[in-house]
Amino acid sequence: MSGTYLGMPAFPKAAHEAVNNPTLRGNLRHATHTIRAKRAKAVGEVSDWAALREAGKRIKDHTLRHLDRYLVQLEESVTAAGGTVHWAADADEANRIVTELVKATGESEVVKVKSMATQEIGLNEALEAEGIRAYETDLAELIVQLGHDRPSHILVPAIHRNRGEIRDIFRREMGAWGRPAPEGLTDTPAELAEAARLHLREKFLRAKVGISGANFMVAETGTLVVVESEGNGRMCLTLPETLISVVGIEKIVPAWRDLEVFLQTLPRSSTAERMNPYTSTWTGTTDGDGPQAFHLVLLDNGRTDTLADEVGRQALRCIRCSACLNVCPVYERAGGHAYGSVYPGPIGAILSPQLRGTQSEIDASLPYASSLCGACYEVCPVAIDIPEVLVHLRERVVEGGEAVRGGNKVLLKPARGHAAERAAMRAARWALSHPAALRTGQRLASRSRRLHPRTLPGPGRAWTGTRDLPAVPAEPFRDWWQRTGGGKGGAK
């Protein structure tokens, strides 16, 4: 399987294939239900969870309203602390900056902290094209990399793999990437973790360049923060001589004290822990301690365009906890690969189409990858109303129109398959705007109700294939209202 998402089919086709994979569904069901139950218990311990949730939302909204000012402040703070800031408008520019920085060190390999931003831009592939090998050090990311696979979850990228599959991947692939798996490796978690630890240790001690993302950036101090559970991040952030961090511009918070909120809500929402086992912070460089060169690459890549959408911009509040994935009935059955993006699940269904636009088949289909049950909104620690944004994006896909992408106006054409829906919505708008026509249509539908089919023809066949066609009442509501005297106050 390719490591990128290029050429992925639209969500309905990819999901159809996924739901027919019993092993995948079993892995997802077990993992998401386990994480979901633990999260609920951890959140239930906090008496002021609702207040923390609201505080996180307000901090993020305030920051996004004043993002220009805080980004300038962050650059000044990082520079004053000895770091260098680079601005990347898109994925190509970010990849070029990082590649040139690595080449300047003379190194041909790097170690990486788990980073969704670098996955978003395809950094590993860009480095490989220039002869630079990137080693993932997060356990789940290591499994994905060794398996020539794609991440399928924000928190647990290898959630679609069971222990037997992981054992086989380690036995088959580790030797080609470095230290081979121990002889007689079993699928017990302790042995698998030890095999990964031995395999990665030599890379930590040898690497001169580390690449990371960041969970948060603090504008007032220039501090970056990474939270993780294994300690691999701490090794990548402290041992190399050069550290390069690629971070989306929305990850900024104004002040150090703002971390108080997120360092409570993030671990409980993601790993169901009261606090992260490892919370690493770094501010510029310090003589004789840690990396001696620090570069921060601030990534836009569609975020400014998303910020311009008054409804859709709330997706930029996301702190990548993955709580929405673990409660989503669609994700649980379809898995993360069906979303065709490094950002799967409900948050991916609203974030990816905004970052990439809805011109492609996969991005135009993502706003429909939801039942709109609202479970994602209920668990979101920063109160992103994902169902609201999904409906908003569906409207954009159906109606088409112009939008700004990368400073240029582009036409958002309706995706193939939505033309019938657009025609139906326009017909409904016309009927609801003409009361006489609506009244005539309702009466005609009631009088011919016995002739109505149980299933719809043509494109409607897919809808009625899994649903009963609603029965038309014997009498329109307008006629009933007039007959019973409702219009004169006679009916109660």
Side-chain angles (χ1 to χ4, degrees), residues 253-275:
V253 295
W256 182 268
R257 66 179 297 174
D258 296 324
L259 295 175
E260 174 190 359
V261 173
F262 300 111
L263 293 182
Q264 293 184 74
T265 56
L266 178 55
R268 283 182 166 84
S269 295
S270 56
T271 56
E273 296 169 300
R274 295 180 179 89
M275 65 181 294

Side-chain angles (χ1 to χ4, degrees), residues 89-150:
D90 54 27
D92 289 341
E93 187 172 10
N95 287 332
R96 177 182 56 77
I97 291 170
V98 175
T99 300
E100 290 178 355
L101 289 173
V102 176
K103 283 184 173 180
T105 68
E107 297 295 318
S108 60
E109 61 181 24
V110 301
V111 289
K112 289 185 63 195
V113 187
K114 179 179 182 293
S115 165
M116 302 203 72
T118 60
Q119 291 170 354
E120 174 190 329
I121 63 177
L123 178 61
N124 286 11
E125 292 75 23
L127 291 173
E128 184 178 3
E130 296 294 328
I132 301 168
R133 199 164 200 181
Y135 296 109
E136 297 289 351
T137 64
D138 174 83
L139 176 56
E141 290 289 352
L142 174 65
I143 295 166
V144 169
Q145 185 175 51
L146 293 179
H148 307 284
D149 205 346
R150 304 183 186 97

Side-chain angles (χ1 to χ4, degrees), residues 263-320:
L263 293 182
Q264 293 184 74
T265 56
L266 178 55
R268 283 182 166 84
S269 295
S270 56
T271 56
E273 296 169 300
R274 295 180 179 89
M275 65 181 294
N276 291 100
Y278 294 89
T279 300
S280 300
T281 67
W282 67 100
T283 308
T285 60
T286 302
D287 291 339
D289 183 19
Q292 295 303 290
F294 169 56
H295 298 271
L296 171 59
V297 181
L298 292 172
L299 177 68
D300 189 325
N301 204 37
R303 287 159 174 80
T304 299
D305 298 328
T306 303
L307 188 63
D309 189 320
E310 293 184 1
V311 177
R313 71 173 59 151
Q314 58 185 296
L316 297 179
R317 290 187 211 141
C318 179
I319 58 175
R320 310 291 192 265

Side-chain angles (χ1 to χ4, degrees), residues 366-409:
L366 286 179
Y368 296 86
S370 171
S371 65
L372 300 180
C373 69
C376 50
Y377 170 67
E378 295 300 324
V379 299
C380 179
V382 287
I384 301 172
D385 194 339
I386 293 178
E388 178 188 31
V389 182
L390 285 168
V391 173
H392 171 67
L393 292 177
R394 291 180 185 186
E395 179 183 6
R396 176 190 292 181
V397 170
V398 172
E399 292 295 332
E402 285 186 340
V404 177
R405 291 285 165 209
N408 299 314
K409 284 189 176 182

Side-chain angles (χ1 to χ4, degrees), residues 13 28 65 68-69 74 76 82 115 195 204 249 324-325 344 351 365 369 377 392 467:
K13 182 178 180 181
L28 289 169
R65 281 197 301 272
D68 53 347
R69 173 160 59 89
L74 175 70
E76 293 172 347
S115 165
F204 287 135
I249 56 176
C324 62
L325 281 70
L351 187 59
S365 70
Y377 170 67
H392 171 67
R467 303 170 179 85

